[in-house]
């Protein structure tokens, strides 16, 4: 009896001051009160239906990622091994690194010196070990400082 005898509210609406209203956070789409932020049949606007394989998140249709995958930039990725989303969306590994276990690690054959990947066999500033600098007229060869020819 909302506003008159036999007048019932439906579709999730409630009677307030003699009229049917949708609860806060919902919008009336046809005969139903819906949450535009999360309803895949009314995503962001009434009758805006998300495509198969998508869900409504924050009023936008986005991919529904399988377990173990994360939505990053419109694609589902495995942040455990994605070089452009390593450990989280947007965390990019350098060219000298690979993503493994959700972290950027030096590529095989390279070692970390003060947070940078380096080739200890050929780096004149880190020859054989970090901070081992080859002197004047020497160069790093196979991890050893040697006189240049």
């Amino acid at each position: 009896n909302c506003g008159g005898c036999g007048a019932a509210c439906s579709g999730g609406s409630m009677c307030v001051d003699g009229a049917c209203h949708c609860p806060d956070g919902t919008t009336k789409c046809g005969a139903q009160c819906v949450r535009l932020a999360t309803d895949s049949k009314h995503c962001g606007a009434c009758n805006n239906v998300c495509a198969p394989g998508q869900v409504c998140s924050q009023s936008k249709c986005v991919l529904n990622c399988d377990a173990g995958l994360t939505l990053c930039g419109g694609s589902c990725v495995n942040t455990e091994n994605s070089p452009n989303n390593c450990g989280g969306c947007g965390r990019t590994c350098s060219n000298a690194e690979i993503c493994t276990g959700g972290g950027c690690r030096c590529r095989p054959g390279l070692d970390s010196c003060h947070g940078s990947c380096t080739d200890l066999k050929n780096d004149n500033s880190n020859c054989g070990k970090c901070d081992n600098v080859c002197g004047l007229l020497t160069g790093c060869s196979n991890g050893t400082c040697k006189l240049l020819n």
Side-chain angles (χ1 to χ4, degrees):
N1 297 316
C2 187
C5 291
C9 295
S10 63
S13 62
M14 304 181 309
C15 186
V16 178
D17 296 326
C20 295
H21 294 280
C22 288
D24 287 345
T26 64
T27 301
K28 190 161 184 96
C29 289
Q32 297 291 324
C33 294
V34 298
R35 294 190 184 283
L36 297 178
T38 57
D39 191 310
S40 293
K41 293 180 183 174
H42 305 281
C43 189
C46 291
N47 301 315
N48 184 35
V49 180
C50 293
Q54 291 184 328
V55 295
C56 185
S57 176
Q58 299 176 7
S59 299
K60 294 180 181 165
C61 293
V62 295
L63 290 175
N64 186 15
C65 297
D66 292 335
L69 300 179
T70 302
L71 181 65
C72 293
S75 298
C76 295
V77 297
N78 183 341
T79 58
E80 292 291 306
N81 61 15
S82 171
N84 295 319
N85 300 287
C86 191
C89 296
R91 178 149 192 295
T92 304
C93 297
S94 74
N95 287 338
E97 298 172 315
I98 58 171
C99 180
T100 181
C104 295
R105 313 266 190 272
C106 292
R107 290 189 177 279
L110 301 179
D111 292 283
S112 179
C113 287
H114 310 294
S116 294
C117 297
T118 186
D119 180 358
L120 297 179
K121 291 183 179 183
N122 297 298
D123 185 342
N124 288 337
S125 298
N126 301 288
C127 190
K129 64 182 181 176
C130 296
D131 299 323
N132 185 34
V133 179
C134 294
L136 194 62
L137 302 175
T138 63
C140 187
S141 176
N142 207 22
T144 305
C145 293
K146 296 183 180 178
L147 284 173
L148 298 173
N149 290 339

